[in-house]
Amino acid sequence: MAKYRSIVVLTGAGISAESGIPTFRGSDGLWEGHRVEDVATPEAFARDPELVLQFYNMRRAALKTVEPNPAHQALAKLEDAFDGDLLIVTQNVDDLHERAGSKNVLHMHGELKKAWCLGCDGRALWEDDILETSRCPHCAREGRLRPDIVWFGEMPYQMERIDAALSACDLFVSIGTSGNVYPAAGFVALVRHYGRAHTLELNLDPSEGSRLFAETRHGPASKLVPAFVDEVLGG
Ligand code: BJW
């Protein structure tokens, strides 16, 4: 019997690194010389839509070549076997949690495989390239689609639901995130403020907020996460 009743797992780029998706701030984290901060903003999209669409088209296409790894699979196994509540809050825009079998996943920074129409505010599943000439499937207008991604300066999705889960959980686990980007980087402090949960970091190396966690384990997610899941399920 697991000793926890309500778990929130925050994931970042590090959990998908071993699937072959580059992280943002690693040595391979640049895209053709651009920092993510220069591409992932509404201002960059207004200035150079072709460049920004190309950045996301390339990453959407690359998704077809990668698979979930043992860390994603272990979290899906945890959700399946755990008799309490488990919510995965991911900063990742890939679909590897879902493809591993996780169901209770919240994409706070959006999803690569969705397009958002600035004309009618509709969202649509989008598997292929978004072009400046693409037409919205809802309102049929041309040239109003953007990737459904939360850029710098924009409000991440479902913050109220995330806050409710953080306040109710008794275990908060942060996996594969550098702790550079807010509000996600502030979740551990918030959980500590609520005062009821154990806090655990699983990351390749200490994150920016590492010292705020009650417990930290460092190493590759493909090893740390399955071991953590076995521990939780083993009680
Ligand atoms: C492994 C591994 C392996 C490797 N195993 N581990 C000052 C203070 C507070 C806030 C701000 C501030 N100045 C500006 C802000 C706001 C801004 C912000 O945080 N800026 C910072 C740069 C300072 N934030 C925002 O604008 C956000 N919106 C906002 O704040 O709205 C207002 C608000 C107010 C109040 C409440 C709520 C909201 C929006 C942020 C949007 C972020 N978007 C991006 C790009 C879009 C998605 C995409 O294109 O994919 O999201 S940025 C990019 O960073 C992406 C990621 O989701 C995000 C986080 O990166 P992540 O996942 O941590 O990746 P890395 O590469 O940084 O780290 C990987 C880690 O994995 C490393 O530690 C490795 O060691 C590890 N690793 N291999 C385990 N095998």
Side-chain angles (χ1 to χ4, degrees):
M1 194 59 149
K3 67 176 176 172
Y4 300 109
R5 301 301 314 147
S6 176
I7 303 177
V8 175
V9 179
L10 171 70
T11 64
I15 196 169
S16 298
E18 289 165 85
S19 293
I21 300 181
T23 61
F24 294 96
R25 294 169 185 84
S27 52
D28 58 349
L30 288 172
W31 178 70
E32 295 188 0
H34 301 280
R35 295 183 313 141
V36 67
E37 287 81 356
D38 296 336
V39 190
T41 67
E43 294 76 20
F45 185 57
R47 195 169 53 237
D48 193 346
E50 195 185 344
L51 176 85
V52 176
L53 290 177
Q54 196 192 346
F55 176 63
Y56 287 98
N57 288 341
M58 181 204 71
R59 290 173 55 202
R60 192 178 306 103
L63 264 193
K64 294 178 182 161
T65 68
V66 299
E67 297 293 334
N69 68 54
H72 300 101
Q73 284 153 358
L75 291 179
K77 173 177 145 186
L78 179 60
E79 182 178 327
D80 200 37
F82 184 54
D83 56 3
D85 296 324
L86 177 102
L87 174 66
I88 298 176
V89 177
T90 187
Q91 298 171 85
N92 298 343
V93 297
D94 66 53
D95 59 352
L96 295 182
H97 285 302
E98 287 87 347
R99 279 161 56 191
S102 290
K103 293 183 182 62
N104 209 10
V105 183
L106 190 158
H107 285 269
M108 65 178 290
H109 289 166
E111 292 171 71
L112 268 177
K113 285 167 66 172
K114 283 189 183 164
W116 174 21
C117 177
L118 297 174
C120 71
D121 202 29
R123 261 105 176 155
L125 282 177
W126 208 274
E127 299 270 353
D128 300 314
D129 286 356
I130 301 177
L131 307 173
E132 286 183 83
T133 51
S134 294
R135 204 174 273 285
C136 170
H138 300 297
C139 70
R141 269 183 273 194
E142 195 181 288
R144 305 305 308 273
L145 292 180
R146 58 167 269 185
D148 189 11
I149 301 285
V150 177
W151 288 326
F152 285 108
E154 298 182 326
M155 185 63 85
Y157 293 148
Q158 302 202 49
M159 287 308 299
E160 278 182 26
R161 192 176 154 209
I162 294 173
D163 189 51
L166 293 175
S167 69
C169 72
D170 51 18
L171 175 62
F172 172 71
V173 190
S174 172
I175 304 173
T177 175
S178 62
N180 274 289
V181 176
Y182 288 83
F187 289 172
V188 61
L190 209 53
V191 169
R192 287 183 64 133
H193 167 77
Y194 290 127
R196 60 165 74 192
H198 182 56
T199 52
L200 169 64
E201 169 170 279
L202 305 177
N203 204 44
L204 194 59
D205 41 33
S207 71
E208 286 291 312
S210 213
R211 71 191 184 289
L212 295 174
F213 288 84
E215 188 185 349
T216 55
R217 301 179 193 173
H218 298 129
S222 64
K223 296 280 184 298
L224 295 183
V225 181
F228 153 75
V229 166
D230 287 346
E231 253 174 58
V232 171
L233 293 178

